Amino acid sequence: DQWKIWLDRETGLITQMEFTVRPSGQFVVGVYYVKEYQTVDGFTVPKIAQARFSADDEAPVHTYDFYKISFQKDDHREEILP
């Protein structure tokens, strides 16, 4: 798989992600756009994102609304970094 990521120069937030998936030798291309962000527990995360088959498509094939996000500490995972 290959991903290209576009960042907003001023905010550093992701604005667009283009991906290529190669299942069984075929290529599937898509584009995700983050339309709105929200802050949850001090983290900036997507609130609304849209998926399209190409950057030229006007209508999204999917719209994602992340309305319930929470973070939990994973006590069962070993610490990798000090």
Side-chain angles (χ1 to χ4, degrees), residues 5-77:
I5 300 173
W6 283 260
L7 302 174
D8 182 283
R9 190 178 298 267
E10 292 180 18
T11 66
L13 297 175
I14 295 172
T15 58
Q16 175 181 331
M17 295 179 286
E18 180 181 289
F19 63 92
T20 304
V21 180
R22 298 174 181 91
S24 305
Q26 300 175 354
F27 289 92
V28 177
V29 177
V31 181
Y32 285 107
Y33 294 95
V34 179
K35 305 305 262 181
E36 188 176 335
Y37 283 92
Q38 61 189 327
T39 301
V40 178
D41 293 338
F43 293 97
T44 302
V45 295
K47 181 177 182 184
I48 298 174
Q50 294 179 336
R52 301 175 187 195
F53 288 121
S54 78
D56 297 329
D57 289 344
E58 290 189 26
V61 291
H62 294 290
T63 297
Y64 304 93
D65 186 356
F66 302 99
Y67 61 91
K68 186 176 181 182
I69 296 176
S70 63
F71 297 100
Q72 298 175 354
K73 183 179 177 185
D74 185 354
D75 292 328
H76 302 289
R77 184 174 174 183

